[in-house]
């Protein structure tokens, strides 16, 4: 299952934890039906640390890093978004 982030929010910059919660809930719903969820960041230029922490950091804290690595894939993330994801993972582990 692939989730296109731009189709959910229709904006290029995502910054709030509330938006992160919406995306994380969508991911959790899809994980109940699918083994792997692909998060497609096409069209998203920037995110904040808080947004990524709410999406990925919370999942790592709840389910573990190995679970997230196995079941969640990131697609078409900008270098900036990749950097934010790496930063969140560095303090979440």
């Amino acid at each position: 299952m692939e989730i296109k982030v731009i189709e959910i929010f229709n904006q290029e910059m995502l910054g709030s934890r509330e938006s992160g919660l919406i995306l994380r809930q969508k991911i959790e719903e899809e994980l109940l039906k699918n083994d792997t969820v692909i998060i497609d960041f096409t069209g998203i230029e920037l995110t904040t640390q808080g947004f990524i922490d709410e999406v990925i950091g919370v999942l790592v804290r709840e389910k573990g890093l190995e679970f997230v690595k196995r079941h969640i894939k990131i697609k078409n993330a900008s270098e900036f978004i990749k950097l934010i994801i790496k930063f969140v993972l560095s303090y979440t582990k």
Side-chain angles (χ1 to χ4, degrees), residues 5 26 38 52 75:
V5 179
K26 177 77 172 156
I38 300 166
I52 295 296
K75 179 178 172 183

Side-chain angles (χ1 to χ4, degrees), residues 60-71:
V60 169
R61 289 189 290 278
E62 288 179 353
K63 300 182 182 297
L65 182 60
E66 289 308 311
F67 177 90
V68 172
K69 283 182 173 181
R70 200 171 328 121
H71 298 284

Side-chain angles (χ1 to χ4, degrees), residues 3 8 11 14 19-20 27 40 48 54-55 66 68 75 91:
I3 297 171
I8 297 171
Q11 56 190 42
L14 298 169
S19 294
I27 292 166
D40 185 349
T48 63
E54 193 64 40
V55 175
E66 289 308 311
V68 172
K75 179 178 172 183
Y91 70 74

Side-chain angles (χ1 to χ4, degrees), residues 23-45:
L23 181 56
R24 180 167 44 85
Q25 288 172 335
K26 177 77 172 156
I27 292 166
E28 290 172 332
E29 287 173 20
E30 293 304 326
L31 283 172
L32 294 174
K33 301 180 270 185
N34 300 284
D35 186 58
T36 302
V37 174
I38 300 166
I39 305 168
D40 185 349
F41 281 96
T42 299
I44 307 298
E45 298 300 319

